[in-house]
Amino acid sequence: MSTVVHPLSLLLIAATWLWAQDRPEFIPPADSKVVNVKAYGAKGDGVTDDTAAIRAAIEANIDKNRYAGPAFYYFPAGTYLLSGPVEGRAADHTAWSAGWRAGVILIGQSRESAILRLKDAADGYGDAKQPRYVVATGSEDDQPHESGRGNRAFRNSVINLTIDLGRGNPGAVGIDYMASNRGTIENVLIRGGVDSGWCGVRMDRDWPGPALVKGLEVQGCDWGVHMDNHWEYSMTFEDLTLRGQRVGGFYVKNNGAFIRHLTSINRVPAVVAKDDGNSLVVLLDSTITNDGGGAGAGLVLQGLAYVRNLTSTGYTVAIDDISPRNQDVAGDAKLPVRVAEYRQGQVVSNLGGNVAALGLPIEETPLYWPKSADEWLNGASDLQAAVDSGKPVVYLPAGGIVLQKTLVIRGGKLRKLVGMQSSLGFEKDKKQVAIRFEGDAASSVILEHLWIDGVVEHTGAGTLTLRHCDLNGGPVGLVASGPGKTFIEDVVGRWSIGKGHRLWARQTNAEFGEKPLLTINGGTAWILGFKTEGDNVCLQQTGGAVELLGGLFYTFNFDGRPAVQVDGGQFSGSWVYSRNRRNLHVRERQAGGDWKDCVTGFSRGLALFSNKPAAEQPKP
């Protein structure tokens, strides 16, 4: 374990991230084929009980094309009063999978204007020892579980909503969340009053993730976020705000939690991590404040942990290591303390001696929200003409279109190609290039909520962003060979990054086959949250620089292949294994020399592997 701590007397780090400065508003065009809950009788007037109407909207559409093109359930501005749970579930709970279905996407007009409010003292929400959800997504399963647990909860999402837990509901849970491989809680506020709310977001069922939680704020409740479960499959968080919790901010046990931009304002611990040998906490660029002053620990950590650029204020202990190592980091009741780097658990390298993380520069994901209806253009009839039209946003209504030739995006005024969780691509040969981005350095285009059957190529100098997408392009879904930039958020698929290209990825999932899942050929890649499945080499690097902050490698049988193979270049990373383990973590060589294998005495995971020598020994 190594720690670098700097007391700060004047510097206070602001907790206003880019996300909070650009709140989205989503008003879909009339022909977008979203499911408007008001069409099923929901009033949104804050007086009428809308529970039955919202359930009816979901039940009428939940079995329609739920994999490649599941429905958006749209909540226009209003306050929707609830007396019971809203579930991603068919009407017949005795049918297949106990009625639970994948592909449930709840999306509001905006976080500020679309509110789901639980009635005061609602029936079934009065006991904190028996928590009950207001909103729940679940997993499909051939062996039905009433709870909705499982690992087939694909694309479940909750976006642009406020969930108000009312008064007198101490057992209320805002969202009981399940998602698999891809899914998001995005731009959501959960409010628990002084006498309401056991938890904002709960992920205690087997098996949460991988998925992305971005722009979530939880006010009040006993816990802000609670993950107490089996050791699969990890979750990624960015721009997470927790304030006013009564017991703790974020609880995780036996799972991976990879977090950037946590802002906690509490009189209780910001993070509590418990471990039976399976957990990894990564915490980056975060601020924790004890607004009661002068008490307790900010982070309570057991198991593997990697913390970087943490500012702690008001806690007498910044980090409480409750493992047998007991290597705490002191805080200060009055002055901010900055923890530059903290490692709890194994630190290994083929270099031996002291090593350092790469600390690659981090750029924020480009976002764009249409400001008026004039910005939208339907691309279903002639997609190429639509992207060339000069309109900022081209949309595809729910459903899908079959490409006859490669769609070429040249940049220009186009800012976003968005589906209503729509599919596009080639009907048969998915190895063809479905989309080619050729934009110049001034162009920035976002592909969002798409299932793409074919390869996405980035050959230009501009910026391409993929958010909430499935890349089904055969062995490689994304090939980035140009000199530009790529951003990934919540994407399923493999990718290859060429020399000179720069990539930032938040939550990516890649699985199976014989070839490596992610390939970096001379490019630069920063990755927060990476889940794999299968016995592949998870990441293969040839030159360049790669920083992996939080991985969950799901290996079936150790067949001698390393998790990571580095043929030149700089690499640092942290990860754990689920199911079977590999004792061969990294195979590495430099300048064409001999291969060196990092075979360790532990098999579960590590806090940090690096091949970058530290400039000097960090001082605790």
Side-chain angles (χ1 to χ4, degrees):
M1 188 275 286
S2 299
T3 308
V4 181
V5 182
H6 302 291
L8 305 177
S9 57
L10 298 176
L11 177 61
L12 293 176
I13 297 178
T16 302
W17 310 116
L18 175 66
W19 181 267
Q21 298 170 5
D22 189 15
R23 294 287 187 202
E25 185 171 50
F26 177 68
I27 304 177
D31 60 353
S32 61
K33 299 182 181 179
V34 302
V35 177
N36 190 323
V37 297
K38 288 193 172 182
Y40 289 81
K43 301 299 183 184
D45 57 13
V47 178
T48 305
D49 186 340
D50 286 326
T51 312
I54 295 169
R55 288 176 181 171
I58 294 171
E59 291 164 0
N61 296 278
I62 198 167
D63 278 316
K64 297 178 181 178
N65 201 23
R66 65 185 182 276
Y67 276 17
F72 278 16
Y73 300 96
Y74 178 58
F75 294 80
T79 297
Y80 299 84
L81 195 63
L82 302 177
S83 57
V86 171
E87 302 171 310
R89 204 168 184 185
D92 186 353
H93 293 187
T94 66
W96 177 73
S97 192
W100 292 101
R101 298 290 188 270
V104 175
I105 302 172
L106 309 180
I107 183 167
Q109 182 172 328
S110 71
R111 187 184 105 163
E112 291 72 23
S113 68
I115 302 167
L116 306 183
R117 188 186 187 281
L118 184 63
K119 284 185 175 181
D120 294 343
D123 186 36
Y125 292 92
D127 188 353
K129 294 182 180 179
Q130 300 184 48
R132 189 186 191 199
Y133 50 76
V134 176
V135 173
T137 62
S139 174
E140 301 179 356
D141 200 310
D142 295 328
Q143 301 296 321
H145 299 281
E146 179 66 23
S147 70
R149 74 176 193 180
N151 62 358
R152 288 152 60 181
F154 310 117
R155 298 164 201 87
N156 288 335
S157 300
V158 182
I159 304 169
N160 291 5
L161 287 167
T162 287
I163 299 174
D164 189 320
L165 302 182
R167 298 293 306 273
N169 296 308
V173 173
I175 304 172
D176 197 328
Y177 187 58
M178 286 291 301
S180 305
N181 297 356
R182 179 164 81 73
T184 190
I185 296 175
E186 181 176 296
N187 196 36
V188 167
L189 169 64
I190 299 174
R191 295 194 295 241
V194 295
D195 56 356
S196 284
W198 180 78
C199 180
V201 174
R202 186 182 190 187
M203 289 174 280
D204 291 352
R205 292 173 288 169
D206 299 343
W207 299 268
L212 176 67
V213 177
K214 180 162 183 170
L216 169 69
E217 181 174 353
V218 181
Q219 300 173 357
C221 302
D222 289 351
W223 292 95
V225 176
H226 200 274
M227 297 174 65
D228 184 355
N229 46 54
H230 202 269
W231 34 258
E232 294 166 340
Y233 290 97
S234 76
M235 289 290 299
T236 301
F237 301 80
E238 191 170 36
D239 302 341
L240 173 63
T241 302
L242 305 175
R243 64 176 75 232
Q245 277 74 56
R246 295 183 287 268
V247 180
F250 190 113
Y251 181 89
V252 57
K253 181 178 180 181
N254 289 332
N255 212 301
F258 316 134
I259 309 165
R260 177 170 179 259
H261 281 172
L262 167 66
T263 300
S264 174
I265 303 170
N266 275 297
R267 300 182 182 185
V268 294
V271 177
V272 177
K274 297 294 184 70
D275 176 52
D276 290 334
N278 305 306
S279 68
L280 169 63
V281 172
V282 173
L283 183 64
L284 308 173
D285 304 335
S286 295
T287 301
I288 60 173
T289 302
N290 185 332
D291 62 351
L299 307 182
V300 181
L301 302 178
Q302 182 183 43
L304 298 173
Y306 180 73
V307 179
R308 189 164 78 207
N309 191 23
L310 170 73
T311 298
S312 172
T313 303
Y315 289 103
T316 52
V317 178
I319 302 176
D320 182 7
D321 174 7
I322 60 173
S323 73
R325 293 174 292 272
N326 194 30
Q327 296 173 313
D328 295 348
V329 177
D332 192 298
K334 297 180 179 179
L335 299 178
V337 170
R338 178 172 176 259
V339 181
E341 186 180 49
Y342 172 88
R343 312 164 185 171
Q344 185 168 301
Q346 298 90 346
V347 180
V348 297
S349 175
N350 290 328
L351 295 174
N354 187 45
V355 295
L358 263 62
L360 294 178
I362 303 170
E363 293 192 13
E364 307 303 326
T365 305
L367 303 173
Y368 184 79
W369 317 111
K371 302 299 189 296
S372 69
D374 292 340
E375 295 190 32
W376 295 83
L377 179 64
N378 190 327
S381 60
D382 189 336
L383 186 54
Q384 185 65 68
V387 301
D388 292 338
S389 68
K391 285 285 188 178
V393 180
V394 173
Y395 68 95
L396 296 177
I401 63 171
V402 177
L403 294 177
Q404 303 302 318
K405 60 181 180 180
T406 298
L407 174 68
V408 179
I409 300 177
R410 301 173 181 88
K413 295 182 179 180
L414 181 70
R415 295 299 307 277
K416 181 183 286 190
L417 171 58
V418 58
M420 305 302 158
Q421 194 44 62
S422 313
S423 63
L424 67 88
F426 296 102
E427 195 168 21
K428 295 181 180 180
D429 187 0
K430 298 178 183 180
K431 296 180 182 179
Q432 294 185 72
V433 176
I435 300 175
R436 179 181 296 115
F437 177 62
E438 300 177 349
D440 61 20
S443 62
S444 180
V445 175
I446 301 167
L447 307 180
E448 192 169 276
H449 290 295
L450 295 169
W451 172 294
I452 302 171
D453 285 326
V455 177
V456 176
E457 276 191 350
H458 183 350
T459 61
T463 298
L464 179 66
T465 300
L466 297 102
R467 302 183 72 238
H468 316 310
C469 290
D470 290 75
L471 306 179
N472 298 290
V476 182
L478 168 68
V479 178
S481 58
K485 301 176 182 180
T486 296
F487 292 84
I488 283 175
E489 284 192 352
D490 187 34
V491 169
V492 172
R494 304 176 188 186
W495 36 265
S496 174
I497 305 302
K499 185 177 181 180
H501 199 87
R502 291 165 291 170
L503 176 134
W504 291 266
R506 282 97 165 157
Q507 203 301 87
T508 188
N509 179 88
E511 301 181 1
F512 299 110
E514 290 301 316
K515 295 184 178 181
L517 298 174
L518 305 186
T519 304
I520 294 88
N521 294 310
T524 300
W526 177 90
I527 308 167
L528 177 68
F530 171 35
K531 177 259 178 183
T532 74
E533 193 164 336
D535 300 322
N536 316 60
V537 173
C538 301
L539 188 150
Q540 179 172 289
Q541 175 184 353
T542 304
V546 179
E547 184 168 28
L548 168 60
L549 294 152
L552 190 286
F553 298 158
Y554 184 11
T555 301
F556 295 104
N557 298 288
F558 175 56
D559 60 3
R561 285 182 284 184
V564 177
Q565 183 163 297
V566 180
D567 191 357
Q570 290 189 313
F571 172 81
S572 67
S574 57
W575 58 84
V576 287
Y577 298 101
S578 75
R579 196 170 175 174
N580 296 305
R581 290 78 157 157
R582 308 187 199 201
N583 62 0
L584 177 48
H585 286 251
V586 180
R587 176 170 288 155
E588 179 192 15
R589 70 178 179 182
Q590 294 292 333
D594 295 335
W595 288 103
K596 296 180 181 180
D597 289 346
C598 175
V599 181
T600 68
F602 58 93
S603 60
R604 190 65 196 151
L606 50 85
L608 178 72
F609 178 95
S610 178
N611 66 6
K612 177 185 177 182
E616 60 181 11
Q617 177 72 31
K619 297 178 178 61

